[in-house]
Amino acid sequence: MKNLKGNILFFIIIFISINVFSQKKFKVKTEEKYETKNQYYLVDEKENILQKLDTSKYYIFLEENSLKYFAVFGIKGENGWSAIDSNENILFQVYNSVNGEPSPDSLIENKIRIINENNKIGFANEKGEIIINHQFEIVTSFRKNRAIFGNKCKKVYWKKEKHENGCNHYSIECSEHGYINEKGKILISGNYTFEEIMKELNWKNE
């Protein structure tokens, strides 16, 4: 029995080690193939091709092209933006940072905002690991190891009528605000305005 448990533990350690060491930094190489489609390649630091992406599946790439542990694409059949690793595994969905415009979030202080099917927002790190679970209705990027979140939020459309084609501009208003540290711990939460939290953190509009 002891030998069996020892063997199981050994294989678990080997499996974890393989997964850790299989993580690779890569970047995206783009070739214009058709008038409306680009051919994308995932390449390593020496420009060796790791993956040739299917042009019928991956339709847009907007990121800054540098060596990273994941890349963000628009993928047919997936909502919004998808982060993939060097093996084309989808790691998480990336938050779109500008309403009404294609603008996937980017790494700030080694963290990127992610979103789930319930529109709750969390964070992943530069290695593509989810470090703060999806839990916020709205939350800023990190600045000085703090991020401001909002609760009890609603969309306020700029125009009274909502267009059926989905091309609508709106603001998000929340009745409660607070902030978290880099580990996701809530430090303050309550009936505060966004501006009051900014003042508490000594943030200035940039």
Side-chain angles (χ1 to χ4, degrees), residues 76-120:
K76 290 183 179 177
E78 300 290 336
N79 292 326
W81 304 102
S82 300
I84 64 169
D85 64 15
S86 60
N87 294 312
E88 289 189 70
N89 298 311
I90 295 178
L91 304 175
F92 44 77
Q93 303 304 122
V94 175
Y95 177 71
N96 193 77
S97 61
V98 180
N99 294 329
E101 296 180 20
S103 181
D105 205 39
S106 56
L107 284 166
I108 296 177
E109 294 191 6
N110 292 324
K111 301 173 190 66
I112 187 170
R113 286 175 290 182
I114 59 178
I115 192 165
N116 66 10
E117 64 277 5
N118 297 318
N119 290 321
K120 295 292 186 179

Side-chain angles (χ1 to χ4, degrees), residues 12-29:
I12 289 173
I13 292 171
I14 292 296
F15 178 75
I16 292 172
S17 298
I18 289 172
N19 278 331
V20 170
F21 288 110
S22 66
Q23 291 180 331
K24 293 180 180 177
K25 276 191 171 184
F26 64 94
K27 62 182 180 179
V28 179
K29 182 178 179 181

Side-chain angles (χ1 to χ4, degrees), residues 134-195:
H134 306 84
Q135 58 189 289
F136 303 107
E137 294 178 57
I138 193 73
V139 63
T140 67
S141 297
F142 274 85
R143 186 191 302 178
K144 300 178 183 178
N145 296 319
R146 300 289 186 266
I148 300 174
F149 66 87
N151 285 327
K152 299 180 181 179
C153 305
K154 63 180 180 180
K155 293 179 181 179
V156 179
Y157 290 91
W158 295 359
K159 293 184 178 180
K160 291 183 179 180
E161 294 184 3
K162 186 178 175 182
H163 298 291
E164 295 298 327
N165 61 9
C167 185
N168 297 284
H169 293 280
Y170 59 86
S171 302
I172 296 178
E173 294 183 359
C174 306
S175 59
E176 295 181 358
H177 290 88
Y179 65 87
I180 58 173
N181 65 14
E182 69 277 11
K183 295 182 179 179
K185 182 179 179 180
I186 294 174
L187 302 179
I188 283 180
S189 179
N191 189 27
Y192 304 103
T193 66
F194 183 82
E195 289 73 20

